[in-house]
């Protein structure tokens, strides 16, 4: 078997890119204990903090995304891209990886392009049902593209795509409590229905404002609420909680997401690929509110893929202020509908994704 000694993993920007990247790195290290893994991220982005905390070195590129609203600002973006290409070329030359793995995000483009120019095999991990422009371009010369959705296959060269799923945080799957025990541990009535609302680590403005406006409806209907507001909104939310009973809890950040997921009867969330993969593996009924502020509108396409399988319900961001609270309450009052959604989303889960991706990485190096 091929012995992997040096691997570059590039990408980030959001937890949806970083968590799979770290999971792949952990699976590589488990298979090859002496492996040398270098991450390449974007300066000032989340990965520059999260990756070192996970125990891996990281190099930053000055790359940033294109500004679609203010086109003149893209001169600076192009300058940063040129600098990033030069730095990525230098990193590839000095580190000499056997393979470069791209997980999406600003840094993956320059890094994998530099690797491909040097003849180093590249592997893409595409989390979404609708790939971004960068991955579609990189896919032409990649050895293999690991995807989580069958729909993504049509965007890449035939014969290169392998359905592996998205790796998720192992801690989410290691909760031994029953749902009632999880509710009790979180301070809720174990016999009452619970809605978990999450908008990502920074929060989601539309979801937060829709929830804030509808808190009394949850109380009136006897439904408990665990609401992760995100750190960007921690000062905005307390006023909305005035006079609310203990069945309504809000927090900027949930430390133990595995416990929170276990307790929930229904999850309200954005439709990022990482979140969806977690929900699939956990079999959680979900009401999705796709973010409209993402490239290629890929969150709506992620959500629609689940809706088409009766595995989720969707409320568009523009409709959320008028509909979200009422839809969540109506759903959580239908245990049979929740069961159908739970079974359907669980059936879509692709398990052991990180191990499958490592198998593909090894194969890409062996065939180089």
């Amino acid at each position: 078997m091929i012995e992997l000694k040096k691997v570059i993993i590039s990408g980030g920007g959001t937890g949806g890119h970083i968590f799979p990247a770290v999971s792949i790195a952990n699976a590589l290290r488990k298979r090859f204990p002496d492996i040398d893994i270098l991450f390449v991220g974007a300066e000032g982005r989340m990965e520059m903090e999260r990756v070192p905390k996970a125990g891996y070195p990281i190099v930053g590129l000055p790359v940033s995304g294109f500004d679609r609203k203010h086109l003149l600002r893209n001169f600076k973006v192009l300058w940063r891209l040129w600098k990033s290409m030069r730095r990525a070329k230098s990193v590839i030359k000095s580190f000499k990886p056997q393979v470069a793995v791209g997980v999406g995000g600003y840094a993956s483009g320059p890094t994998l392009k530099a690797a491909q120019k040097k003849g180093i095999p590249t592997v893409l991990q595409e989390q979404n049902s609708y790939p971004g422009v960068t991955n579609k371009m990189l896919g032409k010369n990649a050895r293999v593209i690991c995807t989580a959705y069958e729909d993504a296959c049509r965007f890449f060269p035939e014969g290169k795509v392998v359905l592996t799923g998205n790796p998720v945080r192992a801690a989410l799957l290691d909760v031994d409590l029953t749902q009632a025990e999880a509710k009790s541990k979180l301070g809720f009535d174990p016999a009452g229905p619970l809605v978990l609302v999450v908008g990502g680590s920074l929060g989601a403005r539309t979801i937060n404002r829709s929830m804030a406006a509808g808190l009394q409806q949850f109380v009136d209907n006897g439904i408990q609420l665990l609401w992760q507001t995100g750190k960007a909104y921690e000062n905005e939310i307390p006023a909305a909680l005035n006079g609310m009973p203990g069945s309504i809890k809000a927090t900027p950040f949930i430390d133990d997401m595995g416990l929170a997921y276990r307790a929930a009867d229904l999850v309200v969330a954005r439709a990022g690929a990482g979140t969806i993969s977690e929900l699939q593996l956990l079999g959680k009924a979900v009401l999705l509110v796709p973010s409209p502020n993402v490239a290629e509108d890929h969150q709506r396409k992620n959500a629609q893929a689940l809706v088409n399988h009766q595995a989720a319900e969707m409320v568009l961001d523009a409709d959320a202020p008028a509909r979200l609270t009422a839809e969540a309450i109506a759903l959580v009052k239908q245990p049979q509908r929740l069961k159908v959604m739970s079974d359907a989303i669980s059936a879509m889960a692709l398990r052991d994704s990180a191990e499958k991706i490592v198998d593909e990485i090894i194969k890409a190096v062996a065939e180089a």
Side-chain angles (χ1 to χ4, degrees), residues 245-298:
S247 61
I248 306 294
K249 301 181 190 296
T251 178
F253 187 75
I254 296 173
D255 291 318
D256 192 342
M257 278 303 300
L259 182 67
Y261 276 140
R262 187 73 186 94
D265 294 281
L266 174 70
V267 178
V268 176
R270 288 301 199 190
T275 297
I276 287 177
S277 293
E278 292 172 356
L279 295 166
Q280 288 172 333
L281 287 166
L282 296 168
K284 302 306 296 188
V286 61
L287 177 57
L288 295 168
V289 187
S291 171
N293 305 312
V294 293
E296 315 288 343
D297 199 21
H298 69 250

Side-chain angles (χ1 to χ4, degrees), residues 25 40 61 65 92 114-115 148 165 235 262 280 312 333 339 357:
V40 181
L61 305 181
I92 294 293
N235 297 322
R262 187 73 186 94
Q280 288 172 333
K333 285 184 169 184
K339 177 69 165 59
I357 292 167

Side-chain angles (χ1 to χ4, degrees), residues 313-346:
E313 295 284 356
M314 175 169 57
V315 172
L316 295 180
D317 192 83
D319 299 332
R323 291 182 49 203
L324 184 58
T325 299
E327 291 273 354
I329 291 170
L331 269 176
V332 85
K333 285 184 169 184
Q334 301 175 65
Q336 190 55 43
R337 173 65 183 131
L338 295 180
K339 177 69 165 59
V340 169
M341 291 167 68
S342 174
D343 290 345
I345 199 170
S346 183

Side-chain angles (χ1 to χ4, degrees), residues 13 41-49 60-63:
E43 291 176 351
R45 304 291 289 186
M46 191 187 299
E47 59 267 25
M48 301 307 294
E49 178 184 347
L61 305 181
V63 66

Side-chain angles (χ1 to χ4, degrees), residues 154-311:
R154 60 197 171 100
F155 299 102
F156 296 109
E158 191 174 349
K160 288 190 176 185
V161 178
V162 178
L163 198 62
T164 60
N166 288 325
V168 304
R169 295 167 282 180
L172 297 180
L173 309 176
D174 295 335
V175 180
D176 295 329
L177 302 178
T178 65
Q179 186 178 42
E181 289 169 341
K183 287 179 182 177
S184 183
K185 189 167 183 178
L186 289 166
F188 292 102
D189 176 359
L194 174 65
V195 174
L196 169 65
V197 177
V198 288
S201 57
L202 295 178
R205 178 185 287 109
T206 303
I207 292 178
N208 281 341
R209 292 184 177 171
S210 300
M211 287 295 120
L215 292 181
Q216 191 59 48
Q217 295 179 55
F218 283 91
V219 177
D220 293 345
N221 283 274
I223 295 168
Q224 304 175 106
L225 179 68
L226 177 56
W227 175 18
Q228 179 187 284
T229 64
K231 292 185 178 180
Y233 297 88
E234 60 183 320
N235 297 322
E236 186 177 310
I237 299 304
L241 298 174
N242 287 338
M244 288 293 118
S247 61
I248 306 294
K249 301 181 190 296
T251 178
F253 187 75
I254 296 173
D255 291 318
D256 192 342
M257 278 303 300
L259 182 67
Y261 276 140
R262 187 73 186 94
D265 294 281
L266 174 70
V267 178
V268 176
R270 288 301 199 190
T275 297
I276 287 177
S277 293
E278 292 172 356
L279 295 166
Q280 288 172 333
L281 287 166
L282 296 168
K284 302 306 296 188
V286 61
L287 177 57
L288 295 168
V289 187
S291 171
N293 305 312
V294 293
E296 315 288 343
D297 199 21
H298 69 250
Q299 284 205 9
R300 185 181 63 80
K301 289 157 185 164
N302 290 348
Q304 191 63 52
L306 267 66
V307 171
N308 291 346
H309 286 85
Q310 305 297 310

